[in-house]
């Protein structure tokens, strides 16, 4: 996950624009990745996942891209809305392994109306 | 179907007091987890369980104990609370059908230790 200190990286986006949130994962053996959204005062919510045999996966208004060569994951949100304002976490895992998901430290998305 | 629920939502403790946080899930999930989340930090795994009667240590287990006596419940105990345990605690569960996979989270418990 991202190497950040006490302050989360923040992305400010104009309403209606597209957002791209990035995540550098740490384990080259990881083969399963998830994006979570956490709104203020709530628990994280599953957004979308991708397995390592895919480069891209699309959901409703969201797309996850996986670049295994550089161990990079991104979440693209189309036509960003105020309700998209939240902290976004990536998580990685080795599906055949014996260890739980490893979460990144998160990126705060702030949508400007 | 309530998903994952946590009790209590908020608690204030004095240093040295003990308490138990309760997590319940109604999805018949095998795996359950306890995380803590501190400002500007991600989720750090405290303990987890891959089935009834089993528990395992996560990244930050010290000062906490857990029990999974029933499949649907996962308890997190603080025997002697310390200010460093002030945090937001999240419980999660996953089906376990394909190992560790998508987790579903509860709403969190805010704990303040004075």
């Amino acid at each position: 996950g991202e190497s950040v200190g006490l302050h989360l990286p923040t992305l400010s986006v104009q309403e209606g624009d597209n957002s791209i949130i990035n995540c550098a994962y740490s384990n080259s053996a990881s083969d399963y990745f998830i994006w979570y959204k956490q709104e203020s005062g709530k628990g994280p919510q599953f957004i979308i996942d991708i397995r390592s045999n895919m480069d891209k996966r699309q959901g409703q208004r969201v797309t996850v891209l996986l670049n295994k060569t550089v161990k990079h994951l991104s979440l693209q949100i189309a036509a960003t809305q105020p309700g998209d304002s939240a902290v976004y976490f990536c998580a990685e895992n080795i599906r055949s392994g014996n260890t739980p998901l490893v979460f990144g430290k998160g990126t705060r998305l702030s949508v400007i109306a | 179907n309530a998903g994952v629920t946590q009790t209590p939502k908020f608690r204030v403790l004095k240093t040295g007091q003990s308490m138990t946080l309760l997590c319940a899930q109604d999805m018949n999930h095998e795996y359950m987890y306890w995380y803590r989340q501190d400002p500007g930090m991600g989720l750090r795994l405290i303990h987890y369980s891959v089935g009834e009667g089993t528990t395992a240590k996560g990244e930050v287990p010290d000062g906490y104990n857990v029990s999974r006596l029933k499949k649907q419940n996962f308890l997190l105990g603080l025997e002697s609370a310390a200010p460093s345990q002030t945090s937001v605690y999240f419980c999660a569960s996953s089906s376990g059908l394909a190992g560790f996979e998508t987790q579903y989270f509860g709403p969190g418990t805010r704990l303040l230790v004075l």
Side-chain angles (χ1 to χ4, degrees), chain A residues 66-104:
Chain A
L66 175 62
N67 185 331
K68 295 181 287 293
T69 303
V70 295
K71 294 190 289 186
H72 184 266
L73 195 65
S74 68
L75 178 71
Q76 300 179 0
I77 304 174
T80 311
Q81 302 168 0
D84 295 326
S85 293
V87 176
Y88 290 81
F89 295 96
C90 64
E92 61 182 293
N93 182 233
I94 302 171
R95 298 208 79 193
S96 60
N98 210 22
T99 54
L101 295 173
V102 175
F103 285 84

Side-chain angles (χ1 to χ4, degrees), chain B residues 74-97:
Chain B
F74 195 29
L75 306 179
L76 178 71
L78 286 73
E79 290 185 348
S80 179
S84 61
Q85 293 178 305
T86 292
S87 189
V88 181
Y89 291 85
F90 288 101
C91 177
S93 70
S94 63
S95 69
L97 294 175

Side-chain angles (χ1 to χ4, degrees), chain B residues 93-104:
Chain B
S93 70
S94 63
S95 69
L97 294 175
F100 293 94
E101 52 180 12
T102 306
Q103 296 174 18
Y104 297 88

Side-chain angles (χ1 to χ4, degrees), chain A residues 52-64:
Chain A
S52 61
N53 60 352
M54 303 171 71
D55 296 324
K56 178 180 180 179
R57 189 169 187 212
Q58 288 184 293
Q60 189 176 20
R61 275 203 312 120
V62 295
T63 300
V64 55

